[in-house]
Amino acid sequence: MTQLVRRRQFLAATAASTLFMSLGAQRQAWAATTHTVEMLNKHPENDRLRQVFFPRIITIEAGDTVSFVSVDKGHNSAIIDGMIPDGEEGWSGRISKDVSAEITKPGFYGYQCTPHASVGMVGLVIVKGDGMMDNLVAAQEVRQRGKAKKVWEEIWAEVEGMDLTA
């Protein structure tokens, strides 16, 4: 009788463990979030800022999706060469078209509006998780041109002040 009880307890515990693990995986899938970045001619909170992504820095979890929404025509979102973790493909949207990217690998993803990069229309997606810092130095060392150089200095200064451990 004792062996039968132990066997039943073992089977029940195994079933509960399997169920718990599968629900945990489903919970992670359900927890994925879509974040919106607007492509704008004018910053919504500062009329002096033109040709912007809003917000220009976002922090997300691995598996989340970022949707770049073409609020104003003439913009796109495309990854900047060298500003993406190794092995990732990135994205390249068409002008005046929305584009979405599901980002699964932690790290720093620098992006730009192709026709407006030189006037500083750039942004950053920070994907939290193990290995997040692996491409930070490489991303920071990418050569920038025009006003984008100044905007990237501002972005990196802001990132430096962020708590990325939470």
Side-chain angles (χ1 to χ4, degrees):
M1 177 83 171
T2 306
Q3 252 182 347
L4 183 60
V5 171
R6 286 187 189 150
R7 184 169 182 255
R8 285 184 182 163
Q9 287 174 337
F10 173 76
L11 290 173
T14 302
S17 175
T18 302
L19 178 63
F20 178 76
M21 287 176 17
S22 69
L23 287 175
Q26 286 179 345
R27 192 182 87 235
Q28 281 185 327
W30 292 332
T33 303
T34 298
H35 305 267
T36 300
V37 175
E38 296 177 332
M39 300 181 275
L40 302 166
N41 290 336
K42 183 173 61 171
H43 193 283
E45 298 167 357
N46 184 344
D47 288 347
R48 296 178 58 206
L49 298 176
R50 305 289 179 163
Q51 315 308 340
V52 295
F53 290 102
F54 183 76
R56 72 177 178 186
I57 302 173
I58 61 168
T59 304
I60 68 171
E61 300 292 332
D64 286 357
T65 298
V66 180
S67 290
F68 297 91
V69 178
S70 183
V71 175
D72 297 321
K73 293 183 182 206
H75 304 294
N76 77 326
S77 175
I79 203 72
I80 298 171
D81 289 339
M83 296 186 81
I84 187 169
D86 289 338
E88 289 299 285
E89 290 184 28
W91 62 89
S92 182
R94 292 178 30 203
I95 303 294
S96 299
K97 300 290 182 189
D98 297 354
V99 63
S100 292
E102 180 183 353
I103 306 176
T104 58
K105 187 172 183 177
F108 293 82
Y109 294 73
Y111 60 91
Q112 66 186 4
C113 172
T114 305
H116 300 113
S118 65
V119 296
M121 191 169 178
V122 297
L124 182 68
V125 177
I126 303 169
V127 183
K128 294 166 66 171
D130 291 339
M132 174 180 75
M133 304 303 279
D134 292 353
N135 78 312
L136 175 61
V137 172
Q140 289 174 324
E141 290 178 348
V142 171
R143 185 173 174 206
Q144 304 295 335
R145 300 180 190 277
K147 189 176 176 191
K149 183 176 182 176
K150 179 181 180 278
V151 173
W152 277 112
E153 289 171 0
E154 293 170 3
I155 288 172
W156 294 126
E158 190 173 335
V159 167
E160 193 172 302
M162 294 172 73
D163 178 13
L164 297 174
T165 60

